[in-house]
Amino acid sequence: MSVFIIRRLMQSGIVVLVMSVLVFFGVNVIGDPVDMLINPEADQEDIEATIRALGLDRPIHEQYWYFLVNALKGDLGKSFIFGEPALKLILQRMPATLELAFAALIMSVVVGIPLGVYAGLKPDSWASKSIMAGSILGFSLPTFWVGLMMIMLFAVMLGWLPSTGRGDTVPLLGVPVSFFTWDGLSHLLMPALNLALLKMSLAIRLTRAGVREAIHQDYIKFARAKGLRTARIIRVHLMKNILIPVTTVMGLEFGNLIAFSLVTETVFAWPGMGKLIIDSINNLDRPVVVAYLMITVLLFVLINLVVDILYSVLDPRVRLQDIKA
Amino acid sequence: MTASLDERLVGTPEPGREPAAGGGTEGVQTPFRRFASDFLEDRIATGALVVLLALVFIALTAPWISPTDPYDLAKVDVMDGKLAPGETSFDGSVTFWLGTDGAGRDLLSAMFYGLRTSIGVGIMSGLIALIVGTAVGLTSAYYGGRVDTLIMRFVDLQLSFPAILVALMLVTILGKGVDKIIIALVIVQWAYYARTVRASALVERRREYVEAATCLALPPRRILFRHLLPNCLPPLIVVGTVETARAIALEATLSFLGVGLPVTEPSLGLLIANGFEYMLSGKYWISFFPGIALLITIVSINLVGDRLRDVLNPRLER
């Protein structure tokens, strides 16, 4: 077991290192931030002073070495635009993104699973067919366009919900959250629903497939033969067996939600990391772009590592196969 | 070309399947006819195919069938900006059936051109990714061992990151431009094709006909391309349609975010982004109609892909 974990840890380390090379060299080849950042009226001396201050006069491999050494110390460089540490900027915006992704996850599970169970129990009914058609739409509709249409309908035409931004927040353990104020919730509802649509469709399809499969199993037939009420069979016998795989998959999708939140955040002007990265790309604010990409790479490598280790604990075949290979 | 391709892939002997018990068409039952009549049995899929062909036709002929040239600056008048659908132009010469955008361009014409860019980028990237992915997947499956392990590790690694993140990373590195977006989409997609081809090639490799070909001492190239590849095509075609739809959606998303195609090559995503600023003042059509066009494109490709999956899968009882 420890051999497996050590191997996986080393692999993850290599992945992060390779990605850091790709990201840093890639991002630093594009555009010349000097042109963008320096006041056109500045004289030559000012320009050179700024270049030195930003470290742009060094050869690129030297810049990378400093980046790597500093990154290990937790310093990912200063934003050209804000003049603040990039890591701090991202961490400041992370709670907003996590909140959005979390709300979307809850929403997709709470809505998706019951709909999926219904569609699985009554596959031929009119409502089930609508649910399944809706889930196909959920997969096909581009997230950003749905977001725009939601703003148009609920904010511009009906005026029920605020169109953009984040509402009032209340600090919870030092982190601002919008779950406890009406204003915060009303701002959160639309973006969260927008982000949730894709995962909701996924939850519906997974649950339906699970129900369709489980309903023909012997233990369900036996429960029926015992004369249990249908509601009890569904709640106790069916749900218990379906929920495990569905929740596992949905949990794994959390990382995906964080990545996709950058689209939703841009549409709804939600002040999270996703909006920061898009703004930074357009402003050629390289340290922030590099820091964001490195943090997300790290996040995903960690998620994958945890999943791999969990799987190998649950299913010993995985790690045996790996050691052999 | 397409006909012969389809003929070959459906014409391969499939054990346990009766040779065409009459699919409604008269005359000789060629494999392609059987495939076509199987496909057309489903009315929704047939409708989707017709819509898709119409969209491709519009994309191909956009410069000739558009009511106006939306990118001819001499003909576009700012006075016509933000007109609602159905209004006529300032000088009364043109009717804008779907309205105009902020710069006074006819939205319908802009959508035709946008469709051209969107579908073009989607198909180009899908095709290149298919070729790259197939080559890698076949190599991986045929040689096995270390090559296979190495390639598949890499594929798994890439697929463990969400497509949008990989794409964003690539466009940040590569910059804007049609060629660069296509490169980025190819890099995002090739791994899906490689995995699909490898999976089916591994199954096919163990079949008797490959063994027979090996016994005949045919060169590996011939076995790969004439024996393995045709039998791996059905799942590849299905993945190809789905991935093309995803590529179109991803390109639209990137363009909407302002990191995709440049303003000079407006795709549907960019048209939607342009309408964003006018939406809060109730001018919905600038974003609405290009979005509908995008939606119809993606849904029809997905429906056709779904049907192809059913028709091409001999294991599925119909």
Side-chain angles (χ1 to χ4, degrees):
Chain A
M1 187 67 209
S2 51
V3 176
F4 176 80
I5 293 180
I6 291 170
R7 279 180 72 129
R8 273 281 183 268
L9 266 175
M10 275 167 58
Q11 281 169 5
S12 305
I14 293 171
V15 169
V16 173
L17 197 68
V18 170
M19 292 307 255
S20 78
V21 173
L22 281 179
V23 168
F24 186 83
F25 281 86
V27 170
N28 280 286
V29 171
I30 54 155
D32 184 9
V34 178
D35 290 342
M36 283 222 22
L37 288 156
I38 295 171
N39 187 347
E41 283 162 28
D43 53 24
Q44 197 58 35
E45 229 168 273
D46 278 352
I47 293 176
E48 271 168 22
T50 320
I51 289 177
R52 262 198 304 280
L54 297 175
L56 296 172
D57 54 341
R58 305 286 175 78
I60 188 143
H61 60 269
E62 229 172 274
Q63 285 186 39
Y64 174 70
W65 180 246
Y66 282 122
F67 164 77
L68 203 62
V69 171
N70 286 328
L72 289 176
K73 292 183 206 154
D75 175 10
L76 287 167
K78 266 187 181 174
S79 161
F80 292 159
I81 307 277
F82 298 94
E84 280 188 59
L87 191 64
K88 190 181 148 205
L89 279 174
I90 290 167
L91 291 181
Q92 265 172 2
R93 283 162 175 77
M94 205 183 241
T97 298
L98 290 178
E99 177 183 85
L100 185 63
F102 188 65
L105 188 67
I106 298 283
M107 221 181 247
S108 50
V109 168
V110 168
V111 179
I113 290 180
L115 287 181
V117 170
Y118 180 83
L121 289 176
K122 295 190 172 140
D124 295 321
S125 83
W126 179 82
S128 299
K129 283 185 177 155
S130 317
I131 293 173
M132 293 320 286
S135 81
I136 291 178
L137 271 187
F139 273 118
S140 305
L141 286 166
T143 313
F144 69 97
W145 186 71
V146 178
L148 289 183
M149 291 304 114
M150 283 165 80
I151 292 181
M152 194 183 83
L153 186 65
F154 294 113
V156 179
M157 288 182 170
L158 298 171
W160 289 350
L161 292 167
S163 60
T164 50
R166 197 181 183 198
D168 293 338
T169 54
V170 176
L172 176 76
L173 305 173
V175 182
V177 290
S178 10
F179 290 115
F180 303 114
T181 63
W182 177 241
D183 186 53
L185 277 180
S186 68
H187 277 87
L188 182 62
L189 184 64
M190 256 203 301
L193 181 63
N194 181 225
L195 188 57
L197 274 183
L198 200 73
K199 301 301 161 207
M200 213 183 272
S201 312
L202 183 68
I204 290 175
R205 303 207 136 225
L206 282 175
T207 317
R208 179 181 179 270
V211 172
R212 300 289 300 144
E213 205 181 301
I215 209 149
H216 298 295
Q217 303 277 326
D218 288 341
Y219 66 87
I220 298 282
K221 284 181 189 156
F222 179 66
R224 261 189 218 287
K226 267 203 309 190
L228 293 179
R229 276 178 297 119
T230 314
R232 191 178 159 77
I233 297 178
I234 292 172
R235 211 175 53 236
V236 178
H237 298 255
L238 194 65
M239 291 309 280
K240 252 190 196 164
N241 285 284
I242 291 166
L243 281 182
I244 297 167
V246 173
T247 38
T248 314
V249 173
M250 294 310 285
L252 290 180
E253 292 291 326
F254 189 66
N256 250 315
L257 277 174
I258 293 177
F260 268 95
S261 73
L262 65 92
V263 179
T264 303
E265 283 175 14
T266 310
V267 173
F268 290 93
W270 186 262
M273 333 188 266
K275 185 155 170 23
L276 178 72
I277 174 77
I278 297 295
D279 292 344
S280 302
I281 289 176
N282 289 329
N283 292 331
L284 291 182
D285 195 352
R286 298 186 300 185
V288 179
V289 175
V290 171
Y292 173 86
L293 291 177
M294 286 317 299
I295 286 177
T296 8
V297 165
L298 203 62
L299 198 70
F300 273 93
V301 168
L302 274 180
I303 292 176
N304 291 333
L305 184 69
V306 171
V307 169
D308 273 353
I309 291 175
L310 278 182
Y311 273 162
S312 77
V313 170
L314 295 175
D315 186 353
R317 280 173 304 180
V318 175
R319 73 170 176 263
L320 289 177
Q321 196 182 25
D322 193 75
I323 287 171
K324 243 188 325 187
Chain B
M1 167 67 204
T2 348
S4 70
L5 195 85
D6 291 331
E7 248 171 77
R8 220 187 308 160
L9 70 95
V10 183
T12 51
E14 286 145 1
R17 186 173 174 178
E18 284 181 36
T25 40
E26 295 298 315
V28 196
Q29 270 282 358
T30 64
F32 176 69
R33 270 205 196 153
R34 188 178 64 201
F35 167 75
S37 72
D38 275 357
F39 185 93
L40 297 176
E41 263 173 39
D42 188 282
R43 249 192 271 158
I44 296 175
T46 312
L49 186 66
V50 171
V51 172
L52 189 61
L53 290 178
L55 288 173
V56 171
F57 176 78
I58 292 175
L60 286 175
T61 57
W64 298 281
I65 60 168
S66 297
T68 61
D69 182 355
Y71 303 107
D72 182 356
L73 289 176
K75 285 184 194 153
V76 173
D77 194 342
V78 189
M79 295 295 285
D80 294 335
K82 294 174 274 177
L83 288 178
E87 284 187 32
T88 47
S89 67
F90 184 63
D91 55 10
S93 59
V94 199
T95 308
F96 300 118
W97 295 111
L98 296 182
T100 57
D101 69 0
R105 281 190 282 258
D106 175 33
L107 199 57
L108 186 66
S109 312
M111 274 166 57
F112 283 177
Y113 277 80
L115 205 60
R116 190 180 166 86
T117 314
S118 285
I119 291 185
V121 168
I123 289 181
M124 271 304 282
S125 64
L127 221 56
I128 299 174
L130 185 134
I131 293 168
V132 174
T134 306
V136 175
L138 272 183
T139 314
S140 191
Y142 189 80
Y143 290 103
R146 286 201 157 214
V147 184
D148 187 39
T149 316
L150 196 70
I151 292 177
M152 282 306 127
R153 265 286 147 76
F154 193 76
V155 167
D156 285 343
L157 174 71
Q158 200 195 319
L159 293 183
S160 68
F161 292 98
I164 184 120
L165 200 67
V166 179
L168 190 73
M169 206 178 283
L170 288 167
V171 292
T172 321
I173 291 170
L174 299 170
K176 285 185 178 183
V178 175
D179 49 341
K180 285 156 186 163
I181 268 285
I182 291 179
I183 295 173
L185 289 175
V186 167
I187 297 178
V188 169
Q189 289 180 297
W190 74 274
Y192 293 95
Y193 291 102
R195 198 159 69 167
T196 312
V197 174
R198 175 180 174 269
S200 54
L202 277 183
V203 175
E204 296 297 329
R205 229 188 93 169
R206 285 192 283 270
R207 293 272 164 87
E208 285 88 349
Y209 68 85
V210 176
E211 211 175 298
T214 319
C215 288
L216 288 173
L218 294 178
R221 208 182 44 170
R222 197 179 156 84
I223 299 178
L224 273 175
F225 290 107
R226 295 301 297 266
H227 297 261
L228 270 180
L229 185 57
N231 287 295
C232 297
L233 275 180
L236 200 56
I237 290 171
V238 175
V239 171
T241 52
V242 175
E243 282 303 313
T244 305
R246 276 173 40 124
I248 291 174
L250 192 57
E251 179 272 313
T253 306
L254 292 171
S255 295
F256 172 78
L257 294 173
V259 293
L261 292 175
V263 194
T264 47
E265 297 274 352
S267 70
L268 291 173
L270 206 64
L271 292 180
I272 297 171
N274 287 340
F276 189 20
E277 53 181 310
Y278 303 110
M279 212 168 58
L280 292 179
S281 53
K283 302 195 182 347
Y284 68 92
W285 58 89
I286 309 176
S287 283
F288 181 73
F289 291 122
I292 292 285
L294 184 64
L295 175 65
I296 294 174
T297 313
I298 295 171
V299 171
S300 60
I301 295 178
N302 279 340
L303 286 174
V304 169
D306 253 11
R307 185 65 191 157
L308 281 176
R309 188 201 321 262
D310 293 348
V311 173
L312 292 177
N313 189 350
R315 278 180 291 276
L316 219 65
E317 295 221 358
R318 277 177 296 116

